[in-house]
Amino acid sequence: MSRILELVGKHDSYRSETLNLQASENILSPNARKALSSDMASRYSLTLEHEGYNAYGGAEYMEELLDEVEKLACEVFKSKYSEVRPLGGHIAAEVVLLSLVDRKRNIMSISEANGGYTGYQNQYLPQIMGFGNYNIPYDGSRQEILLDDLERLLESLMPCLVVLGQSFFVKHYDLRSLRNLCHDHGCKLAYDASHVMGLIAGEAFQPDVLNYVDVLFGSTHKSFFGPQGGIILTNDEEIIEAVRRNITWRAMDNYNPSRLASLGVAMEEMRQYGKDYARKVVKNSFDLAKSLSNAGLAPRFSPWFTETHQILLSETSLLNLGTNFEGFSNILERNYIVVDREGRIGTSEISRLGIDEVEEIGELIVSALKGNDVSKRVKEIRREAKIHYCEVVE
Ligand SMILES: *Cc1c(COP(=O)(O)O)cnc(C)c1O
């Protein structure tokens, strides 16, 4: 047997036994997985706008697919325009920045220390594209942007774009005030919703975001349960035209049509079940945070804890229990619970699997930290779980 297939098989059966609490991940439905491995996985479709024809043959259904998925995305996010080809959230960010930021200008984003995305730090995307990034003033203890301080910086730095969004993300933004501040200073407002895309689609978090921001973008595989990819949404015709100009041969060439097919299936599922799913995710993360807290591992921001799919731990609270972020992840991994090594816990995937026992999961996590082996019960919970919010395939 192929060594590679052997590894794939081992991975699949290992992960099917674990409870995945990784905030950046989710699980695909059987139909979305099927679409991902279709014949389209090795095909091209590239419509050349100026020439008015496809550079490749045999692409009829893929052309139709691209149109359909764009329409579905507009429906799900209630946007006028959508761009579904970016290969990831990072590429979507790159395309948005290419489209809205001129060289030598400035952007502002939330610092890494406050949970902002690493890609916006000066040595990454800004350096490649030749502009500067400055931190949005932020109160970490309340998880809020400091609007007065921001206003002063908008005056002195004159950025052309403010990018909201965090990778460590538990609280909404005051979008109305931010929009007014930015627009009063001739600055556009963008929202990198990579982590919360599924919650926005399901209207459980900042559902009206497109009424305030000029452009919304992010990953399609974190709280949004699609295949790995990126998406850009806007109501602004000029922005979508600039975005379209910056896709082919600037940020990427092929867009992986099978990924797009899979995203389309996830969009259909989100359209039908998104509200129930997103509500469940947010409820589960709050309930899990409360349970952890009751069991002796208080997450940050008690008593409200979170408004999203994420719970954030403080390293100090783990040090009190004799471990740190890495140790926490390692201990849980031995007990078939998967979390990242940065202190985030996410409830998207367990919610999609219809798991309601979050109170017990909180207790199991703390019990494992105290040195007990909880793997048997963890595997049992996982074994009994079944994928929800999609068509049942027997
Ligand atoms: C995860 C993340 C990205 C990158 O997304 P990919 O889909 O992995 O390319 C960008 N921005 C934020 C805020 C993220 O959390």
Side-chain angles (χ1 to χ4, degrees):
M1 188 195 184
S2 146
R3 170 78 184 129
I4 300 301
L5 276 182
E6 191 188 325
L7 289 173
V8 172
K10 280 183 174 168
H11 171 90
D12 280 5
S13 71
Y14 163 54
R15 280 302 197 99
S16 75
E17 289 195 293
T18 61
L19 280 183
N20 185 28
L21 297 172
Q22 233 144 204
S24 307
E25 293 180 352
N26 214 317
I27 187 166
L28 289 176
S29 72
N31 283 338
R33 249 204 217 212
K34 183 174 159 200
L36 193 58
S37 63
S38 77
D39 176 80
M40 287 185 194
S42 60
R43 302 298 164 208
Y44 266 101
S45 174
L46 203 61
T47 303
L48 305 172
E49 281 182 23
H50 291 298
E51 288 79 354
Y53 65 86
N54 202 310
Y56 295 92
E60 182 187 344
Y61 297 113
M62 291 186 286
E63 287 177 8
E64 218 175 295
L65 174 75
L66 177 56
D67 279 351
E68 283 296 319
V69 180
E70 274 178 9
K71 272 192 219 134
L72 273 166
C74 289
E75 206 181 322
V76 165
F77 287 96
K78 292 180 266 335
S79 71
K80 220 157 155 186
Y81 308 104
S82 72
E83 175 50 73
V84 292
R85 290 173 295 175
L87 293 167
H90 185 89
I91 305 291
E94 186 178 2
V95 170
V96 166
L97 296 176
L98 279 168
S99 305
L100 298 181
V101 187
D102 290 329
R103 269 172 209 280
K104 307 233 168 80
R105 292 298 304 266
N106 294 322
I107 68 160
M108 296 186 75
S109 65
I110 291 173
S111 73
E112 256 190 305
N114 283 312
Y117 176 53
T118 310
Y120 300 123
Q121 310 313 307
N122 273 309
Q123 68 270 40
Y124 300 112
L125 289 171
Q127 196 215 39
I128 296 173
M129 292 188 223
F131 54 80
N133 172 55
Y134 292 85
N135 294 336
I136 295 173
Y138 193 81
D139 177 347
S141 66
R142 285 185 301 138
Q143 295 286 291
E144 276 173 30
I145 291 173
L146 297 164
L147 294 170
D148 292 342
D149 294 355
L150 175 63
E151 182 162 22
R152 274 191 289 280
L153 287 180
L154 290 175
E155 273 159 26
S156 60
L157 298 170
M158 296 191 291
C160 58
L161 186 70
V162 164
V163 185
L164 305 174
Q166 286 153 276
S167 298
F168 294 71
F169 202 177
V170 290
K171 186 154 182 191
H172 70 279
Y173 304 112
D174 175 356
L175 292 174
R176 184 186 299 270
S177 302
L178 286 163
R179 191 245 344 238
N180 292 343
L181 266 186
C182 287
H183 288 188
D184 286 351
H185 289 84
C187 169
K188 286 199 161 48
L189 183 61
Y191 194 145
D192 177 349
S194 286
H195 262 276
V196 293
M197 219 43 141
L199 306 182
I200 291 175
E203 299 180 17
F205 182 76
Q206 305 242 266
D208 55 352
V209 51
L210 274 166
N211 293 339
Y212 299 104
V213 307
D214 296 291
V215 56
L216 171 70
F217 64 92
S219 312
T220 55
H221 50 270
K222 293 179 180 176
S223 63
F224 198 99
F225 47 53
Q228 292 183 324
I231 189 168
I232 303 170
L233 303 141
T234 181
N235 292 328
D236 186 317
E237 192 178 354
E238 262 178 51
I239 291 180
I240 199 69
E241 280 171 6
V243 160
R244 301 226 196 281
R245 283 196 299 275
N246 280 297
I247 298 266
T248 310
W249 298 319
R250 285 175 67 80
M252 45 190 263
D253 187 337
N254 88 78
Y255 57 83
N256 193 342
S258 67
R259 178 192 64 75
L260 200 67
S262 180
L263 178 63
V265 172
M267 285 284 171
E268 289 175 333
E269 293 163 350
M270 196 55 89
R271 179 175 61 182
Q272 191 168 349
Y273 308 103
K275 280 190 188 156
D276 291 340
Y277 159 76
R279 201 182 309 122
K280 183 64 135 193
V281 171
V282 173
K283 182 180 184 316
N284 273 347
S285 74
F286 179 74
D287 289 350
L288 178 57
K290 249 191 348 200
S291 161
L292 286 168
S293 180
N294 291 340
L297 175 63
R300 294 176 69 191
F301 314 119
S302 176
W304 58 273
F305 296 119
T306 179
E307 299 173 357
T308 68
H309 63 304
Q310 290 190 14
I311 299 163
L312 303 182
L313 298 177
S314 78
E315 204 145 38
T316 331
S317 68
L318 288 172
L319 290 175
N320 291 337
L321 292 164
T323 188
N324 55 17
F325 287 159
E326 194 188 345
F328 176 68
S329 175
N330 289 335
I331 292 166
L332 293 189
E333 198 167 289
R334 287 199 289 277
N335 285 280
Y336 288 77
I337 297 175
V338 179
V339 295
D340 68 28
R341 303 204 157 94
E342 306 191 64
R344 287 178 297 193
I345 297 175
T347 54
S348 303
E349 182 159 330
I350 58 167
S351 303
R352 194 162 201 217
L353 287 169
I355 292 173
D356 283 321
E357 298 98 327
V358 287
E359 205 180 309
E360 186 184 353
I361 291 173
E363 289 161 6
L364 290 169
I365 287 174
V366 175
S367 175
L369 279 186
K370 291 180 177 159
N372 299 310
D373 181 353
V374 300
S375 59
K376 193 162 157 272
R377 179 62 189 140
V378 168
K379 286 191 200 174
E380 217 168 71
I381 294 175
R382 178 64 184 86
R383 202 164 34 241
E384 283 160 14
K386 264 208 228 44
I387 191 139
H388 281 51
Y389 312 112
C390 60
E391 194 186 311
V392 184
V393 184
E394 290 304 336

